[in-house]
Amino acid sequence: MRTKNNLRYLLIGFLALLTFSGTAHAWWNGEWTLRKKITLDATPAGADISAPIGTTPVLIRLHDGNFQFINAKDDGSDIRFVAADDKTPLVFHIEKYDPVLNEAFVWVKVPSVKPGEKTSLWLYYGNSGGKAVKVDDSKGTYDSDTALVYHFAEHGSPASDATGSGNNAQNAGTGSDGSMIGSGLRFDGVKGVIIPAAPALALAEGVTLTWSAWIKPSTLHANEAIYSRRDGANGFVIGIDKGIPYVEVTNANGTQRSPVGAPVAVNSWHHLAAVAEGSKVTLYLDGESYATLGVPLPALNSAATLGGEPTPGSTDPAAVTVGFNGELDELEISKVARSAGFIKLAAIGQSGDKAAKLLIFDQDEQPSSLLSWFKGGYLGIIISSLTFDGWAVIIILMLMMLLSWYVMITKVKYMNEMGKGNALFLREWKQVATDLTILDDTDSEKSKSLGGRIDSKGWKTMRNSSVYRIYHTGVEEIQHRLAADRSLAQRKGLSGRSIQAIRASLDGTLVRETQKINKLIVLLTICISGGPFLGLLGTVVGVMITFAAVAAAGDVNVNAIAPGIAAALLATVAGLAVAIPALFGYNYILSLVKDAKDDMHIFIDEFVTKMAEFYKE
C-alpha cells in the first residue's frame, strides 16, 4: 500500500510541476510563449499630454532591441495585441515586417487613452503552430471618421487607402525607402499625386476636418504646396513658404493664409496637422499649436493633389506648379476635428526619437509552466515536428523515467532509514555483547529491547534495521532451544549442532533481507540499458520517415529536412535522459546496498561467535 501511495504522489507532483505557472498575471493564450508589456505614458514624466485623447491608432516600432524576431514567425502572423486586462484582443495591422533587417511597424487601435495617465497593453508572439495565422485588420484599426490613410508602403503602385474606404491614389508617386515610417513619397516640385474625388471625401461648408502628415522639406522655396484642393472659387491648401508651414483657405471672400510662425529646418522631419472646426482652422507643428486661421472650410467636392498645385491646361493631370520639394509620409484625413491630445500623441508616438517618452517596452515574459515553455523557441519547433512514432517512443521513455526516479527515490529513502536503524542497533549491541544473559531472559520483550535500552523513539528508528531483524531471529532461536533444555532439567548451554542450526536461521534471514534490499533495482538496469536503445530506435525510424517524406515531396532543402531530423534526434536525447540519471542513482544505491550487506555479514559472524562463547555445551 505504501508503494502505491508513493507512486501516486510522485505522479501527482510531476503533473503539478508541468501545469504550475508562477506568473503574476493570467496568460491570455497558452499557445503563445512570449509576451511583452507596453505602456503608453501620457503623464508629465512621459509624453506630458493633458488634452483629451480617446481611442487612437498607435504606432508600435519593433526592432531587435525590443523584439525577438527569431522567436516569431517570418511573416509576423503570430503577433497579437491584448488589452491591459489580458483578455480583450486589440485590433491592429502590420504596415511592414522585415525579419532580415529586424524591423517592423505595427498600428494598434488602443481604446480610451486618458490624458495624464498610463495605459498598458500586451504584445504576444512566439507561436509557431498552424493556428497562428494573420489577423490583420487595417480597416478596423481606424474609426469610422477616418476617411483616408496612406502608409505609402506600395512600390511603383498608387497609394492604397488603409481604412478600406477605397480612396486610393490615382497615380503612383516616387517611392522613398527609409522614410519616417518605412516607405514614403519623394516630390520634386514637378509631378504630384492625385487623390480622386469621392463621396467620403466631399466637404460641405464649415464642416470639421483633420489633415495630418509627416513632411521633410529639402528646399526652402516660396509657396510650396504640399496638399492642394480647389473646386471652382473655393480652395484649401496646406504648404510651406520658405520653411514656414501655412494653411490657406479660398472662398467667396478671397484667399486668407494663417499667420507666420517660426520656420522649420531643411532636411528634418516634422509632423504637420490642420484641424478645421467651425469658423477656424488650427495648424499644428510637431504636436503643438502653431497658427490659427479664423475662416471656415469652404465646400469642396473635387480631386486633391499631393506635392503641389495642379498645372492649368496641362495634359498630365499630375503635373504641378509651385510644387513641394521633399518627402512626405503617413497621410491621414478624418472627417472630424481631432483633439489636441490626439494630435500630440500621434506626433510623439510616430516620431523615432521622441517615441521613447510615450512608449515604454518592458522585458519579455514567459509562462513558467513547463508545458508552455516546451512550445517556445527551438524546442517548440522540434516538438511540433515529432511524428506519431516519435511521440510513442518518447512517451514510453517518459514512463521509464518516472519509474526509474520512483525506484531511486524510494530505494534511497529505504536504505537511509535502514542505515540509521543499523547504526543505532550496533551502537547498543556493543554494550549487550559483553553479557548475553538478556538473550535467554524469559521476558521476550526485554530481550527484544536489548535489556530495556531502546525507548519508543529509538524503536521507531531501529525497526527499519536489517541487522536488528537478524538479531531478533537469533534471539528467538536461542530462547526456543534453551526453553527445551530447561524443560528437561538440563544445564544451560548450546550444542554445536544447535549453533549451526541457529547460524542457518540467521543466514536465511540474511537472504530474505538481501532480497528486500535488491527489490526493484533490476528496473534501474533495464532503464540504463534499454533507454538509449529505445531512443535510438525512435531516431532511426524518425530519420527514415523524414527522408521518405522528402522523397515523396520531391523537394530537397534544409528547411524540409532539418526539423524532422532534429525531432528524430529528440528520441535519442530522451533515451539518454532516462539512462544517465538512472546510472548515477544505480551506482549510489549499490554503494548503500554493499554497506548494508557488510553490516549484516559482520553482525552474523560476531553474533555466532559471542553465542558460542557464552553458551558453551
PDB file of all heavy atoms in Angstrom, residues 216-233:
ATOM      1  N   LYS A 216       9.240  66.389 -44.861  1.00  0.00           N
ATOM      2  CA  LYS A 216      10.679  66.630 -44.759  1.00  0.00           C
ATOM      3  C   LYS A 216      11.092  67.498 -45.951  1.00  0.00           C
ATOM      4  O   LYS A 216      11.405  66.985 -47.028  1.00  0.00           O
ATOM      5  CB  LYS A 216      11.450  65.312 -44.764  1.00  0.00           C
ATOM      6  CG  LYS A 216      12.960  65.477 -44.645  1.00  0.00           C
ATOM      7  CD  LYS A 216      13.650  64.117 -44.746  1.00  0.00           C
ATOM      8  CE  LYS A 216      15.165  64.266 -44.678  1.00  0.00           C
ATOM      9  NZ  LYS A 216      15.851  62.946 -44.838  1.00  0.00           N
ATOM     10  N   PRO A 217      11.057  68.824 -45.807  1.00  0.00           N
ATOM     11  CA  PRO A 217      11.409  69.701 -46.931  1.00  0.00           C
ATOM     12  C   PRO A 217      12.901  69.627 -47.261  1.00  0.00           C
ATOM     13  O   PRO A 217      13.743  69.603 -46.360  1.00  0.00           O
ATOM     14  CB  PRO A 217      11.029  71.094 -46.420  1.00  0.00           C
ATOM     15  CG  PRO A 217      11.095  70.988 -44.931  1.00  0.00           C
ATOM     16  CD  PRO A 217      10.698  69.580 -44.600  1.00  0.00           C
ATOM     17  N   SER A 218      13.183  69.550 -48.539  1.00  0.00           N
ATOM     18  CA  SER A 218      14.588  69.526 -48.975  1.00  0.00           C
ATOM     19  C   SER A 218      15.044  70.875 -49.500  1.00  0.00           C
ATOM     20  O   SER A 218      16.238  71.076 -49.759  1.00  0.00           O
ATOM     21  CB  SER A 218      14.792  68.458 -50.056  1.00  0.00           C
ATOM     22  OG  SER A 218      13.941  68.699 -51.167  1.00  0.00           O
ATOM     23  N   THR A 219      14.092  71.805 -49.710  1.00  0.00           N
ATOM     24  CA  THR A 219      14.427  73.179 -50.110  1.00  0.00           C
ATOM     25  C   THR A 219      13.563  74.133 -49.295  1.00  0.00           C
ATOM     26  O   THR A 219      12.603  73.723 -48.645  1.00  0.00           O
ATOM     27  CB  THR A 219      14.156  73.401 -51.614  1.00  0.00           C
ATOM     28  OG1 THR A 219      12.754  73.229 -51.871  1.00  0.00           O
ATOM     29  CG2 THR A 219      14.963  72.420 -52.466  1.00  0.00           C
ATOM     30  N   LEU A 220      13.884  75.388 -49.354  1.00  0.00           N
ATOM     31  CA  LEU A 220      13.113  76.418 -48.644  1.00  0.00           C
ATOM     32  C   LEU A 220      12.623  77.473 -49.642  1.00  0.00           C
ATOM     33  O   LEU A 220      12.839  78.678 -49.478  1.00  0.00           O
ATOM     34  CB  LEU A 220      13.966  77.066 -47.541  1.00  0.00           C
ATOM     35  CG  LEU A 220      14.443  76.135 -46.426  1.00  0.00           C
ATOM     36  CD1 LEU A 220      15.294  76.889 -45.407  1.00  0.00           C
ATOM     37  CD2 LEU A 220      13.255  75.488 -45.727  1.00  0.00           C
ATOM     38  N   HIS A 221      11.946  76.981 -50.690  1.00  0.00           N
ATOM     39  CA  HIS A 221      11.405  77.886 -51.690  1.00  0.00           C
ATOM     40  C   HIS A 221      10.110  78.524 -51.192  1.00  0.00           C
ATOM     41  O   HIS A 221       9.514  78.079 -50.210  1.00  0.00           O
ATOM     42  CB  HIS A 221      11.151  77.124 -52.998  1.00  0.00           C
ATOM     43  CG  HIS A 221      12.409  76.647 -53.637  1.00  0.00           C
ATOM     44  ND1 HIS A 221      12.433  75.651 -54.595  1.00  0.00           N
ATOM     45  CD2 HIS A 221      13.718  77.009 -53.444  1.00  0.00           C
ATOM     46  CE1 HIS A 221      13.683  75.434 -54.970  1.00  0.00           C
ATOM     47  NE2 HIS A 221      14.469  76.238 -54.281  1.00  0.00           N
ATOM     48  N   ALA A 222       9.637  79.503 -51.933  1.00  0.00           N
ATOM     49  CA  ALA A 222       8.410  80.207 -51.557  1.00  0.00           C
ATOM     50  C   ALA A 222       7.175  79.443 -52.021  1.00  0.00           C
ATOM     51  O   ALA A 222       7.161  78.858 -53.107  1.00  0.00           O
ATOM     52  CB  ALA A 222       8.416  81.618 -52.155  1.00  0.00           C
ATOM     53  N   ASN A 223       6.175  79.432 -51.191  1.00  0.00           N
ATOM     54  CA  ASN A 223       4.828  78.935 -51.529  1.00  0.00           C
ATOM     55  C   ASN A 223       4.841  77.508 -52.122  1.00  0.00           C
ATOM     56  O   ASN A 223       4.247  77.255 -53.166  1.00  0.00           O
ATOM     57  CB  ASN A 223       4.144  79.889 -52.517  1.00  0.00           C
ATOM     58  CG  ASN A 223       3.972  81.267 -51.944  1.00  0.00           C
ATOM     59  OD1 ASN A 223       3.623  81.423 -50.776  1.00  0.00           O
ATOM     60  ND2 ASN A 223       4.239  82.288 -52.761  1.00  0.00           N
ATOM     61  N   GLU A 224       5.479  76.589 -51.435  1.00  0.00           N
ATOM     62  CA  GLU A 224       5.486  75.196 -51.878  1.00  0.00           C
ATOM     63  C   GLU A 224       4.244  74.503 -51.312  1.00  0.00           C
ATOM     64  O   GLU A 224       4.118  74.303 -50.104  1.00  0.00           O
ATOM     65  CB  GLU A 224       6.744  74.471 -51.394  1.00  0.00           C
ATOM     66  CG  GLU A 224       8.026  75.013 -51.992  1.00  0.00           C
ATOM     67  CD  GLU A 224       9.243  74.228 -51.522  1.00  0.00           C
ATOM     68  OE1 GLU A 224       9.421  73.086 -51.976  1.00  0.00           O
ATOM     69  OE2 GLU A 224       9.995  74.759 -50.670  1.00  0.00           O
ATOM     70  N   ALA A 225       3.324  74.143 -52.207  1.00  0.00           N
ATOM     71  CA  ALA A 225       2.086  73.499 -51.780  1.00  0.00           C
ATOM     72  C   ALA A 225       2.330  72.010 -51.528  1.00  0.00           C
ATOM     73  O   ALA A 225       2.850  71.299 -52.397  1.00  0.00           O
ATOM     74  CB  ALA A 225       1.008  73.673 -52.836  1.00  0.00           C
ATOM     75  N   ILE A 226       1.942  71.560 -50.358  1.00  0.00           N
ATOM     76  CA  ILE A 226       2.059  70.139 -50.015  1.00  0.00           C
ATOM     77  C   ILE A 226       0.767  69.408 -50.343  1.00  0.00           C
ATOM     78  O   ILE A 226       0.785  68.306 -50.911  1.00  0.00           O
ATOM     79  CB  ILE A 226       2.391  69.985 -48.510  1.00  0.00           C
ATOM     80  CG1 ILE A 226       3.734  70.665 -48.205  1.00  0.00           C
ATOM     81  CG2 ILE A 226       2.427  68.505 -48.123  1.00  0.00           C
ATOM     82  CD1 ILE A 226       4.046  70.728 -46.719  1.00  0.00           C
ATOM     83  N   TYR A 227      -0.350  70.021 -50.018  1.00  0.00           N
ATOM     84  CA  TYR A 227      -1.674  69.445 -50.288  1.00  0.00           C
ATOM     85  C   TYR A 227      -2.552  70.568 -50.833  1.00  0.00           C
ATOM     86  O   TYR A 227      -2.668  71.647 -50.221  1.00  0.00           O
ATOM     87  CB  TYR A 227      -2.271  68.863 -49.007  1.00  0.00           C
ATOM     88  CG  TYR A 227      -3.705  68.386 -49.128  1.00  0.00           C
ATOM     89  CD1 TYR A 227      -3.996  67.113 -49.600  1.00  0.00           C
ATOM     90  CD2 TYR A 227      -4.766  69.203 -48.735  1.00  0.00           C
ATOM     91  CE1 TYR A 227      -5.318  66.662 -49.700  1.00  0.00           C
ATOM     92  CE2 TYR A 227      -6.083  68.768 -48.823  1.00  0.00           C
ATOM     93  CZ  TYR A 227      -6.349  67.496 -49.308  1.00  0.00           C
ATOM     94  OH  TYR A 227      -7.650  67.059 -49.400  1.00  0.00           O
ATOM     95  N   SER A 228      -3.153  70.317 -51.977  1.00  0.00           N
ATOM     96  CA  SER A 228      -3.966  71.352 -52.618  1.00  0.00           C
ATOM     97  C   SER A 228      -5.287  70.740 -53.081  1.00  0.00           C
ATOM     98  O   SER A 228      -5.298  69.675 -53.719  1.00  0.00           O
ATOM     99  CB  SER A 228      -3.218  71.959 -53.813  1.00  0.00           C
ATOM    100  OG  SER A 228      -4.070  72.857 -54.531  1.00  0.00           O
ATOM    101  N   ARG A 229      -6.376  71.443 -52.761  1.00  0.00           N
ATOM    102  CA  ARG A 229      -7.693  71.003 -53.221  1.00  0.00           C
ATOM    103  C   ARG A 229      -8.496  72.253 -53.612  1.00  0.00           C
ATOM    104  O   ARG A 229      -8.799  73.100 -52.762  1.00  0.00           O
ATOM    105  CB  ARG A 229      -8.414  70.215 -52.125  1.00  0.00           C
ATOM    106  CG  ARG A 229      -9.693  69.541 -52.629  1.00  0.00           C
ATOM    107  CD  ARG A 229     -10.315  68.677 -51.562  1.00  0.00           C
ATOM    108  NE  ARG A 229     -11.434  67.909 -52.105  1.00  0.00           N
ATOM    109  CZ  ARG A 229     -12.231  67.128 -51.376  1.00  0.00           C
ATOM    110  NH1 ARG A 229     -12.011  66.992 -50.062  1.00  0.00           N
ATOM    111  NH2 ARG A 229     -13.217  66.462 -51.945  1.00  0.00           N
ATOM    112  N   ARG A 230      -8.789  72.351 -54.905  1.00  0.00           N
ATOM    113  CA  ARG A 230      -9.518  73.518 -55.410  1.00  0.00           C
ATOM    114  C   ARG A 230     -10.754  73.049 -56.158  1.00  0.00           C
ATOM    115  O   ARG A 230     -10.699  72.077 -56.937  1.00  0.00           O
ATOM    116  CB  ARG A 230      -8.625  74.357 -56.310  1.00  0.00           C
ATOM    117  CG  ARG A 230      -7.440  74.966 -55.559  1.00  0.00           C
ATOM    118  CD  ARG A 230      -6.704  75.989 -56.371  1.00  0.00           C
ATOM    119  NE  ARG A 230      -5.566  76.536 -55.623  1.00  0.00           N
ATOM    120  CZ  ARG A 230      -5.639  77.531 -54.760  1.00  0.00           C
ATOM    121  NH1 ARG A 230      -6.824  78.111 -54.514  1.00  0.00           N
ATOM    122  NH2 ARG A 230      -4.570  77.973 -54.136  1.00  0.00           N
ATOM    123  N   ASP A 231     -11.842  73.735 -55.905  1.00  0.00           N
ATOM    124  CA  ASP A 231     -13.128  73.429 -56.538  1.00  0.00           C
ATOM    125  C   ASP A 231     -13.789  74.754 -56.923  1.00  0.00           C
ATOM    126  O   ASP A 231     -14.462  75.388 -56.100  1.00  0.00           O
ATOM    127  CB  ASP A 231     -14.004  72.628 -55.570  1.00  0.00           C
ATOM    128  CG  ASP A 231     -15.261  72.083 -56.242  1.00  0.00           C
ATOM    129  OD1 ASP A 231     -15.448  72.328 -57.451  1.00  0.00           O
ATOM    130  OD2 ASP A 231     -16.041  71.405 -55.541  1.00  0.00           O
ATOM    131  N   GLY A 232     -13.544  75.167 -58.170  1.00  0.00           N
ATOM    132  CA  GLY A 232     -14.054  76.467 -58.608  1.00  0.00           C
ATOM    133  C   GLY A 232     -13.362  77.595 -57.861  1.00  0.00           C
ATOM    134  O   GLY A 232     -12.128  77.703 -57.859  1.00  0.00           O
ATOM    135  N   ALA A 233     -14.170  78.442 -57.218  1.00  0.00           N
ATOM    136  CA  ALA A 233     -13.611  79.583 -56.475  1.00  0.00           C
ATOM    137  C   ALA A 233     -13.176  79.206 -55.068  1.00  0.00           C
ATOM    138  O   ALA A 233     -12.653  80.046 -54.336  1.00  0.00           O
ATOM    139  CB  ALA A 233     -14.644  80.710 -56.418  1.00  0.00           C
TER     140      ALA A 233
END
